[in-house]
Amino acid sequence: MLLAFSHSRRVLGGLAIVALVATACSGSGSTPTPPPATPTPAPATTVATPTPAASPTAAPITCGTAPVVLNAYFETGFDIPFKLSDEFTKQFPTVTWKISQDQFTNLTNSTPRLLASDTPPDLIRLPTMISLVKDGLLMNLDKYVTAFGWDKWPASELLQDRVAADGTRGSGSLYAAGLNYSMTGVFYNKKLAAQIGMTTPPTTVDEFEALLAKAKAAGLQPIMQWNASASGGGLAFPLQNLMAAYGPTQQINDWIFQKKGTTIDTATNLTAAQHLETWVKNGYFPKDVNAIEYTASNSRFTKGEGVFTFNGDWENASMDKNAPGNVGFFAFPSATAGGSLAAMSSPLTYGIAAKAKNADCAAFFLNWVATNTTARQINVAIGGSNPGGPSDLPVPPAAAGSVTNDSLAVGALVSKANGGMDFIANATGSIFAQGWTPELQKLVGGKETAAGMLKAVQAEYLKELSQ
C-alpha cells in the first residue's frame, strides 16, 4: 500500500541559501557585472577603443527565496532520505516537502506512470533508468554537472547513472545522482558466530559454507533473509555475491548495463546459482523465507535469529541501535584464497522528472547532500554509507565500535580491488519484479532449478529489451 505524508521544518533564515551556495558552488552568489572600463585617452590622430565590458556571470542554481514544496517519492524502509529532507528544511525554511513512499518492487512498476503524470515528482527513487531515459521521462542533468562542478568528482560516483545514446548505461549523459554510495556485504551476530568457532571473517566460499553447516548443526539459523514478493527477492543478494565469487564482476555489470550480446546464463553464474540452491535445500534460510518481508528480516536478525544476513550498509545505524556492539560486517569472500573482493556498490539513486516543477531546487538538494557538512554526517551516522561528493572532502568519522567502521573499512578494500558492481535488480525496469523475485521464490519452493532460473530471467531480460 502506498503511504504518503507531508512534513516541514522551519528553523534558519533565508540567508542560509547564500551561505550554502558558497560551499556547494565555490562562489558567494551572482557576481555583479563590472562597469565598462574607462576609455584610454588616445592621440588626436587615433580613435579611442573602450575596453569591452565583462561578460555577465551566470546566476547560481538555488531553491530561490520564494516558498517551494518539493514533491518526492522515497523508498519505504529507509530513514536516510527523510533525515536529509528534514535537515534541508532546517537550513532552507522556504523549502518544505510533500513526500510519498512505496516499496522498491512497487516502484519498478509505478515509476513510469508517476513520471509521465501531469504532476510528476521533483525527486524520485529510481529502481531502473534506461527505459525511463528512452521514454523521455527523466531530466538530463548535464547542465547541473557543469553548474555544480560534479565533473570534478570521482568519475566512478556518477558512472552508473549515465546513459549513452545507444541506450546503455555506464557512459553518456547524467540522468540521476546518489544520496549516498552504499555497499552490500554480510552482517554477522558476533555472539552466535563465536559459538560456531568464527574468530575472523571467512576468506573463501568453502570456509563460509563450513560455517553455515556448523550453525545448522548447532541448532542456529544460519542465514536470516527476506524473499517475500512485496519486498522483492532478497535472495538476489547472496546470489549476486556468489556470482562475483565465481566469475568476473565486469561480466555482471555488462549485463546490468545492457551491453549487446550479454547474458546472465553463464557457466560461472550457474555454479553460483547451484550453490544458492544447495543452501536452500540444506535449510540455511528460514523455512518461511518466501513470506518474510524486508523489515521483518532485519528485526528477526537483530533479535538474534540468524548468524548471518546479506544486506547493505544503509542498515548500519539500525544494527547498532537494535544490537549494539554485537554486529560485525565483512565482504563476501572469493572462491579461492587471495581472490579479489567484490560487492554491490552503487549510489542510492534519485532522478528528477523531465517535467519537474522544481527541477533546479531538486538538483540543488542533490548537490547539498554530497557537499554539506551536516548532510554528509547524516549519511554516515544514519545511512552508514560513504557520502560521496568531491574527493577532497573527508568522510565524517563513525562512532567508535560501530558496525559502520567495519563497513567503511571493507568499502576501502573493495574499492582497491575494483570490485564494485551494480545490482542485478537494476538491469531493466521490471526484471526484479517479473524475473528475479518470482524465479527465486520458485527456487525456494522446489519448483525451479538453478539452471532453469537463469534461463527464465534471461528470457525476461530479452523480452523487456525488445519492447
Side-chain angles (χ1 to χ4, degrees):
M1 179 180 293
L2 182 67
L3 304 175
F5 63 93
S6 300
H7 64 103
S8 63
R9 299 287 187 272
R10 298 183 177 277
V11 179
L12 302 181
L15 290 178
I17 293 178
V18 177
L20 184 60
V21 171
T23 301
C25 304
S26 301
S28 59
S30 58
T31 304
T33 302
T38 302
T40 303
T45 55
T46 63
V47 178
T49 304
T51 302
S55 300
T57 301
I61 295 172
T62 70
C63 289
T65 57
V68 174
V69 178
L70 280 176
N71 182 6
Y73 262 79
F74 294 161
E75 181 181 355
T76 300
F78 297 94
D79 288 340
I80 187 64
F82 300 99
K83 299 293 185 181
L84 289 170
S85 60
D86 280 341
E87 178 61 27
F88 190 72
T89 294
K90 288 180 181 179
Q91 295 189 27
F92 305 99
T94 58
V95 181
T96 55
W97 297 77
K98 177 184 178 184
I99 296 177
S100 302
Q101 57 177 313
D102 207 347
Q103 296 272 10
F104 184 88
T105 304
N106 293 338
L107 283 172
T108 62
N109 295 320
S110 63
T111 296
R113 172 180 54 80
L114 294 170
L115 291 173
S117 71
D118 293 333
T119 55
D122 299 307
L123 275 171
I124 187 167
R125 172 73 165 105
L126 295 178
T128 187
M129 289 180 58
I130 294 177
S131 60
L132 301 176
V133 171
K134 178 182 177 181
D135 294 337
L137 298 176
L138 284 178
M139 179 168 289
N140 184 313
L141 304 184
D142 284 351
K143 66 177 181 180
Y144 299 120
V145 171
T146 302
F148 292 120
W150 295 348
D151 52 346
K152 305 298 191 300
W153 297 4
S156 59
E157 289 186 18
L158 305 177
L159 192 67
Q160 295 183 27
D161 294 331
R162 293 186 178 278
V163 180
D166 64 357
T168 60
R169 288 172 58 216
S171 63
S173 292
L174 189 73
Y175 286 92
L179 294 192
N180 56 31
Y181 295 82
S182 59
M183 180 186 62
T184 65
V186 186
F187 290 96
Y188 65 98
N189 182 303
K190 293 180 179 179
K191 293 178 181 177
L192 297 182
Q195 289 182 33
I196 59 174
M198 176 180 154
T199 56
T200 59
T203 60
T204 66
V205 175
D206 284 347
E207 288 181 9
F208 182 72
E209 291 182 331
L211 291 171
L212 296 180
K214 288 182 179 180
K216 184 69 175 178
L220 302 175
Q221 177 60 59
I223 305 172
M224 174 52 62
Q225 203 72 11
W226 71 96
N227 206 50
S229 58
S231 297
L235 265 62
F237 280 59
L239 174 61
Q240 186 167 347
N241 276 280
L242 284 162
M243 287 178 174
Y246 287 100
T249 56
Q250 186 60 52
Q251 185 181 69
I252 299 169
N253 275 331
D254 284 348
W255 184 80
I256 298 168
F257 293 164
Q258 299 185 5
K259 301 296 184 183
K260 290 184 178 179
T262 56
T263 178
I264 201 67
D265 186 15
T266 66
T268 56
N269 287 345
L270 176 59
T271 298
Q274 288 171 336
H275 276 262
L276 184 70
E277 185 177 26
T278 298
W279 293 5
V280 171
K281 292 179 178 178
N282 287 350
Y284 294 160
F285 298 105
K287 291 182 178 179
D288 61 342
V289 67
N290 274 353
I292 300 176
E293 295 195 20
Y294 180 83
T295 53
S297 175
N298 292 333
S299 176
R300 289 168 67 168
F301 175 76
T302 55
K303 290 178 180 178
E305 189 177 348
V307 182
F308 305 103
T309 188
F310 289 76
N311 210 330
D313 55 12
W314 53 82
E315 286 296 336
N316 285 349
S318 175
M319 297 289 181
D320 282 328
K321 176 182 177 181
N322 295 311
N326 193 38
V327 178
F329 182 92
F330 59 86
F332 190 72
S334 60
T336 57
S340 296
L341 295 177
M344 285 98 83
S345 177
S346 61
L348 182 61
T349 305
Y350 275 75
I352 300 173
K355 299 186 297 181
K357 179 181 178 181
N358 302 298
D360 282 0
C361 188
F364 182 72
F365 170 76
L366 293 174
N367 186 71
W368 170 87
V369 166
T371 58
N372 179 264
T373 300
T374 303
R376 290 172 65 82
Q377 183 62 58
I378 289 172
N379 256 317
V380 170
I382 305 300
S385 303
N386 191 309
S391 58
D392 58 350
L393 291 182
V395 176
S402 67
V403 70
T404 300
N405 282 329
D406 285 358
S407 66
L408 290 176
V410 168
L413 295 175
V414 171
S415 177
K416 184 178 180 180
N418 196 30
M421 302 174 286
D422 198 355
F423 186 27
I424 54 176
N426 296 336
T428 67
S430 299
I431 199 67
F432 198 38
Q434 303 299 326
W436 289 118
T437 297
E439 290 302 318
L440 285 166
Q441 288 191 319
K442 291 177 185 177
L443 188 74
V444 169
K447 298 180 180 180
E448 182 63 279
T449 64
M453 176 182 66
L454 294 178
K455 293 184 184 304
V457 170
Q458 180 65 16
E460 175 63 27
Y461 175 83
L462 295 175
K463 174 185 173 183
E464 292 186 30
L465 293 185
S466 67
Q467 293 176 346

